[in-house]
C-alpha cells in the first residue's frame, strides 16, 4: 500500500492527476520534476492502483543495477587499472557489484517506498553521467561528452544530490586516468564542463514554489547550521557504515538521539572513526585506488543530506539516503572479495552465500511494506518514542 510520504506526493497531490498539466507538476516538484512526471504517468495508466507504481520502481532498480555493472566494468578499462591483476576479472567484479547493489536489504526502502523513486532516478542519472564521461575519456568522442551533459541536466530534475557530480568526476579523473606530465589541476580540465551545474542548480532551485510538495526552498533559505544537528549527522554516518555491513533492526523512522555537542563520547568516537576512514583512503590511494575511491564515494554521496539536515533540523536518518552511496559499498565489497579469495571456486561459493543471505533479508524486510498498518506497527515496535509514528498510525487506522 501507499505509506508515509506517498500520501503527500501521490495520493492527495493534484499535480499527478493530470499528466498534461506540466505547469502544476513543475510547481509541485521543481528540482524533482522527472519523478513527478513519472508519478503522473503511473496515475494516467492506472490511477491509484499501487501495483503499477511498485512495478515501475522495480524496473528502475534493476536498470540502476545494470548501470552499476557497466560503471564498474568501464572503470577497469581506465589507464590506471587496465593492466592490474584484477582487470582480467573485471566482468566478475562488476557482476557481483551489481548483485550486491540489487539485493542488499538496505535498498528495500529506496524501492518499496514508492515516493523514493527520487533516489533511484537520481542514481540512474548519476551513473549515466559517469559512464558517458568515462566513455568520452576512453574513446575520445565528443558525442559521449554531450550525452554526459544531457544526463547531468536530467539529474538536475531528479534530486538535489546531483550537485556533487563535479566533485565525483574530479576524484575519478585523478584516481583512474594517468597524466604524469601535467599538474593535478591541469588534469581536471576534462571535468570542467560539469561545474556548470553549480550555476544551473541555484537558478532552478530558487524557482521553487511555496506550493511545492517538498517545500525545500522555504526550509533552507535563511536558515543557519544547527551544530547539534551537524554533530548528529556525524554519528549518522557511523550508523550508515554499520548498516552497510550489518543491516539489522532496520526502521523507517529512527528514534535517533540528537547530539548535544562535539565532546559527547559518541560524537568523539564517530569523529575518530570517520577521520581514520579518511586516513585509510589516503593510505590506500597508492596501494588500492579502487578501495580508496569507494571510501571517498561514501563521503561525497552522503554530503548533501548531511548539509541539508544540519540546516533544516528535521529527520536525521533515512535508509533510502544510502541508495546512491550503495554503489561505492557494492564495488568495495566485490573488489575486496575478489582480492581476498585466491581460489575461484571459493569466491563463487562466498558470492552465492552472500547474495542468498542478502536476498533473503531483503525479502523479509519487504514484507513490512505490504500494508500501512503493519508498516507503522513495525516502526512503533522499534521506535516507540516517535510522536510522528504514533500520529501516522492513528491516520492509518482512520
Amino acid at each position: 500500500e501507499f505509506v508515509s510520504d506517498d500520501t503527500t506526493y501521490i495520493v492527495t497531490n493534484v499535480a499527478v492527476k493530470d499528466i498534461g498539466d506540466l505547469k502544476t507538476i513543475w510547481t509541485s516538484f521543481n528540482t524533482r520534476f522527472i519523478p513527478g512526471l513519472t508519478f503522473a504517468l503511473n496515475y494516467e495508466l492506472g490511477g491509484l492502483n499501487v501495483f503499477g507504481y511498485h512495478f515501475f520502481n522495480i524496473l528502475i532498480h534493476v536498470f540502476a543495477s545494470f548501470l552499476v555493472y557497466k560503471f564498474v566494468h568501464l572503470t577497469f578499462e581506465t589507464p590506471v587499472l587496465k593492466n592490474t591483476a584484477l582487470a582480467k576479472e573485471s566482468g566478475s567484479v562488476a557482476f557481483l557489484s551489481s548483485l550486491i547493489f540489487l539485493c542488499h536489504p538496505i535498498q528495500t526502502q529506496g524501492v518499496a517506498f514508492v515516493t523514493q523513486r527520487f533516489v533511484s532516478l537520481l542514481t540512474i542519472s548519476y551513473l549515466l553521467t559517469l559512464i558517458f564521461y568515462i566513455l568520452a575519456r576512453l574513446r575520445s568522442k565528443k558525442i559521449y561528452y554531450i550525452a554526459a551533459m544531457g544526463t547531468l541536466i536530467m539529474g538536475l530534475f531528479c534530486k538535489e544530490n546531483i550537485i556533487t557530480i563535479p566533485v565525483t568526476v574530479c576524484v575519478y579523473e585523478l584516481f583512474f586516468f594517468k597524466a604524469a606530465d601535467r599538474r593535478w589541476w591541469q588534469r581536471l580540465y576534462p571535468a570542467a564542463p560539469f561545474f556548470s551545474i553549480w550555476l544551473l542548480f541555484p537558478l532552478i532551485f530558487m524557482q521553487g514554489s511555496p506550493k511545492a510538495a517538498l517545500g525545500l526552498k522555504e526550509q533552507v533559505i535563511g536558515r543557519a547550521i544547527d551544530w547539534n544537528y551537524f554533530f548528529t549527522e556525524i554519528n549518522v554516518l557511523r550508523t550508515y557504515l554499520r548498516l552497510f555491513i550489518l543491516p539489522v533492526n532496520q526502521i523507517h523512522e529512527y528514534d535517533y538521539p540528537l547530539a548535544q555537542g562535539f565532546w559527547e563520547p559518541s560524537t568523539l568516537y564517530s569523529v575518530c572513526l570517520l577521520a581514520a576512514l579518511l586516513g585509510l583512503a589516503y593510505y590506500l590511494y597508492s596501494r588500492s585506488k579502487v578501495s580508496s575511491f569507494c571510501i571517498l564515494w561514501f563521503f561525497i554521496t552522503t554530503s548533501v543530506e548531511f548539509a541539508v539536515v544540519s540546516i533544516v533540523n528535521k529527520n536525521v536518518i533515512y535508509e533510502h539516503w544510502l541508495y546512491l552511496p550503495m554503489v561505492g559499498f557494492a564495488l568495495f565489497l566485490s573488489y575486496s572479495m575478489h582480492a581476498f579469495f585466491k581460489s575461484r571456486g571459493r569466491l563463487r561459493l562466498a558470492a552465492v552465500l552472500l547474495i542468498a543471505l542478502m536476498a533473503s533479508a531483503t525479502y523479509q524486510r519487504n514484507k513490512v511494506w505490504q500494508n500501512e498498518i503493519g508498516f507503522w506497527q513495525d516502526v512503533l515496535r522499534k521506535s516507540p518514542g516517535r510522536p510522528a509514528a504514533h500520529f501516522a498510525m492513528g491516520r492509518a487506522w482512520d
Side-chain angles (χ1 to χ4, degrees), residues 16-69:
V16 306
K17 306 299 169 58
D18 183 2
I19 194 171
D21 190 354
L22 298 181
K23 182 179 179 180
T24 302
I25 296 174
W26 167 257
T27 299
S28 182
F29 291 95
N30 189 239
T31 51
R32 305 184 184 190
F33 175 74
I34 291 177
L37 199 60
T38 65
F39 293 145
L41 176 61
N42 271 133
Y43 188 86
E44 180 75 14
L45 296 175
L48 291 177
N49 183 343
V50 76
F51 173 82
Y53 296 85
H54 283 301
F55 184 69
F56 195 86
N57 275 22
I58 291 170
L59 290 180
I60 294 172
H61 183 52
V62 172
F63 183 56
S65 303
F66 166 74
L67 292 180
V68 171
Y69 172 87

Side-chain angles (χ1 to χ4, degrees), residues 61 65 97-111 240-248 250 322-323 326 329-330 333 354-355 357-363 365:
H61 183 52
S65 303
S97 298
S98 66
L99 284 181
I100 293 169
F101 179 88
L102 182 73
C103 298
H104 198 292
I106 209 66
Q107 300 289 69
T108 308
Q109 188 170 116
V111 182
Y240 284 157
L241 293 172
R242 193 270 296 171
L243 286 169
F244 277 148
I245 300 168
L246 193 64
V248 297
Q250 291 178 243
L322 288 179
Y323 192 89
M326 178 59 69
F329 177 74
L333 184 54
L354 175 67
I355 297 303
L357 183 63
M358 286 184 173
S360 176
T362 297
Y363 178 78
R365 178 62 187 163

